[in-house]
Amino acid sequence: MGIKGRRSEEIYDVVGIGFGPSNLSLAIALEEHGASAPQHPVRSHFFERQPRFGWHRNMLLPSTTMQISFLKDLATFRNPMSRFSFVSYLHATNRLVQFVNNQDFFPTRQEFHQYLEWAAAGLDDRVTYGAEVTAIRPAAVAGAPAPDLLEIEVRESDGTTSVVTARNVAISTGLVPRLPQGVTSDERVWHSSEFLQRFNAQAPDDLKSVAVVGAGQSAAEIVRFFHDELPHADVSAIMPSYGYSIADDTPFANQVFDPGAVDEYYFGAERARESFWRYHRNTNYSVVDADVIRDLYRRAYDEQVRDSRRLHFRNLTRVEEVQRAGSGTRVVLRSVLDDRTEELAVDALVFATGYDGLDPARLLGDFDRHFLRDAAGRHRVERDYRLVSASGLTCGVYLQGGTEHTHGLSSALLSNIAVRSGEIADSIMLRRTERELGRTCPVQTASSAA
């Protein structure tokens, strides 16, 4: 079938799919590669389906802070001299002295988002917003397959379709919100990823009873937000655990997010990988910062002292059924402790139930058959985050996410973003140099362990 729409004649070194923090960091790494070798400019472009840059906008709650140091920004761990560092942003906005006086390693989420917007604005000519990549496939030149080229089909906001050609793609389409089976979101049932937008569309006086499902950081933050913003409302926290579990952010545990830990995970034995997850899941998954836990407990205790309870923690409890009832919602809860059920009527129900990871097959479609999988059915991935080709293709499909099984706990997090993007940029440039010299890029056979 022929492709309708415009076709670009330019061949890019890399096309980025998605322009969140990961591919923004990659764009910065490529920009700085180009600055160091201006005689060999890097040809890159990025496509983002959002109309403008945005990162978890609906969770920019008041006073929420980052869970990583400001030094784990888009560039510093790769290049401390980068003009795209968080410190450079503070200097550019005339807040460096004030930030230092604040004596805090962890900026607010709102400030870090402003930093990301500032960095994205500095690369605005490299990205097309309101453009969704709908297909990736091997390219053909004069009717013959071109194993080193890819065609990327893009649908723009006006409905027009264009096709661009690249030697590599970097997929960073982000995480997919997860709701329990049988639950669909609507104006009164929300996933945390849409929280502020949904909340701001309601009249606060109409929200007299609200509930939050989940036991992680987002769930706890939304419970606290509801308690602050709806002083007239009952707020229920529904969680399968006995209570919130503390996030382990102590120095030794935090080493699992160090750049060196990626090599130890990637090249380690299966037993070592299992140990990473078994002992260190509590650094990030279904855990909450200690200060948030203490704040919520203090609030609940204060209400108990005053004998005026409106903050309710329903632990060891799962949601069994959700039904709309007029303008409200009826929730059937089942106790894990004694298997009893109860009904709860709420005006808003928020599921802070996490996300599914990036699955490149959703975007690759039929092209996915060109790439190898491991015994568990997961994509095999080279150390440089490239999918392993099954058919001799020399073009590159890089993943920014979806590599937890090969690269460890930091694969979908900001902690290692600067180094990871630098490694991808290095790989793209090395393979370009070897292609220009007529050599074949060596295969990293260690990926067979993945």
Side-chain angles (χ1 to χ4, degrees):
M1 179 182 294
I3 301 170
K4 298 180 179 179
R6 294 175 286 112
R7 182 182 293 272
S8 171
E9 297 301 323
E10 183 172 8
I11 297 177
Y12 293 103
D13 291 305
V14 58
V15 162
I17 303 170
F19 201 63
S22 291
N23 267 353
L24 171 56
S25 181
L26 175 59
I28 292 169
L30 293 169
E31 166 84 3
E32 293 175 352
H33 260 290
S36 64
Q39 67 276 23
H40 298 291
V42 182
R43 298 177 298 276
S44 65
H45 200 78
F46 296 80
F47 296 96
E48 168 57 52
R49 61 184 172 186
Q50 293 188 98
R52 58 193 173 99
F53 182 87
W55 176 70
H56 294 303
R57 286 184 177 276
N58 284 309
M59 283 300 294
L60 298 180
L61 306 182
S63 301
T64 53
T65 59
M66 297 295 294
Q67 295 173 277
I68 58 170
S69 164
F70 69 90
L71 292 172
K72 292 185 174 183
D73 57 24
L74 297 167
T76 295
F77 273 28
R78 176 186 54 79
N79 176 18
M81 301 295 289
S82 174
R83 70 180 181 92
F84 289 98
S85 71
F86 185 79
V87 170
S88 294
Y89 158 73
L90 291 173
H91 184 267
T93 55
N94 200 30
R95 285 207 308 270
L96 180 56
V97 172
Q98 292 86 346
F99 183 86
V100 172
N101 288 340
N102 201 36
Q103 299 183 17
D104 199 338
F105 259 74
F106 306 99
T108 65
R109 201 173 293 162
Q110 181 66 55
E111 183 174 30
F112 201 80
H113 191 275
Q114 290 174 1
Y115 155 65
L116 295 175
E117 289 181 308
W118 170 83
L123 294 165
D124 201 49
D125 61 329
R126 308 293 169 83
V127 57
T128 300
Y129 292 101
E132 181 178 7
V133 171
T134 56
I136 306 171
R137 54 183 157 265
V141 177
D148 63 334
L149 294 176
L150 295 165
E151 288 185 343
I152 300 97
E153 187 173 340
V154 183
R155 183 173 60 238
E156 299 189 29
S157 56
D158 61 2
T160 61
T161 299
S162 59
V163 177
V164 297
T165 304
R167 299 192 185 279
N168 304 279
V169 295
I171 301 176
S172 181
T173 50
L175 304 173
V176 180
R178 183 195 307 127
L179 287 169
Q181 187 174 4
V183 175
T184 56
S185 64
D186 58 31
E187 64 271 17
R188 293 300 176 99
V189 178
W190 318 328
H191 187 270
S192 57
S193 62
E194 54 186 355
F195 177 69
L196 281 179
Q197 178 184 0
R198 293 287 195 181
F199 177 80
N200 291 332
Q202 307 295 321
D205 290 343
D206 292 341
L207 302 178
K208 298 179 177 61
S209 176
V210 296
V212 182
V213 182
Q217 182 76 17
S218 294
E221 289 176 351
I222 292 172
V223 168
R224 184 172 63 174
F225 177 87
F226 271 149
H227 197 252
D228 286 338
E229 298 296 318
L230 303 174
H232 57 283
D234 281 331
V235 180
S236 294
I238 302 167
M239 63 188 81
S241 55
Y242 199 76
Y244 296 117
S245 296
I246 191 170
D248 187 350
D249 61 354
T250 53
F252 285 112
N254 257 346
Q255 290 180 124
V256 299
F257 302 122
D258 290 353
V262 176
D263 277 338
E264 292 174 333
Y265 189 93
Y266 187 90
F267 295 110
E270 189 63 33
R271 182 174 55 185
R273 296 183 182 193
E274 291 174 358
S275 294
F276 269 87
W277 289 99
R278 181 166 60 251
Y279 292 114
H280 299 295
R281 282 187 65 87
N282 64 341
T283 56
N284 182 64
Y285 297 91
S286 298
V287 288
V288 182
D289 284 348
D291 59 341
V292 178
I293 293 175
R294 293 192 182 97
D295 181 31
L296 288 174
Y297 189 89
R298 192 176 297 115
R299 295 177 188 219
Y301 181 74
D302 182 57
E303 289 185 355
Q304 186 177 9
V305 169
R306 292 186 288 108
D307 194 25
S308 177
R309 302 287 294 272
R310 66 183 189 89
L311 181 55
H312 310 279
F313 294 96
R314 302 173 184 273
N315 57 14
L316 296 176
T317 301
R318 296 185 181 276
V319 173
E320 183 153 293
E321 186 180 358
V322 177
Q323 293 183 353
R324 286 301 303 271
S327 61
T329 300
R330 184 176 66 86
V331 187
V332 179
L333 305 176
R334 183 175 294 276
S335 170
V336 176
L337 186 64
D338 57 20
D339 209 36
R340 292 183 180 179
T341 61
E342 66 170 314
E343 293 188 4
L344 182 67
V346 296
D347 300 306
L349 177 64
V350 184
F351 285 92
T353 44
Y355 298 81
D356 291 323
L358 183 154
D359 180 4
R362 294 173 181 165
L363 185 60
L364 295 174
D366 185 60
F367 185 37
D368 186 57
R369 63 186 173 83
H370 289 270
F371 302 100
L372 295 176
R373 293 178 179 261
D374 63 16
R378 302 167 300 191
H379 283 97
R380 287 177 52 189
V381 188
E382 303 280 12
R383 176 58 184 84
D384 60 2
Y385 301 92
R386 214 169 9 113
L387 290 182
V388 180
S389 171
S391 54
L393 293 174
T394 55
C395 51
V397 176
Y398 292 86
L399 301 184
Q400 293 257 43
T403 59
E404 289 85 353
H405 63 293
T406 53
H407 291 71
L409 280 73
S410 65
S411 294
L413 306 177
L414 293 177
S415 294
N416 198 37
I417 190 172
V419 173
R420 179 175 70 239
S421 295
E423 290 173 344
I424 292 174
D426 287 344
S427 173
I428 291 170
M429 301 308 295
L430 173 63
R431 292 171 65 239
R432 185 179 79 167
T433 299
E434 291 177 333
R435 184 180 63 253
E436 290 171 349
L437 294 175
R439 295 202 299 263
T440 302
C441 186
V443 176
Q444 298 173 347
T445 57
S447 63
S448 61

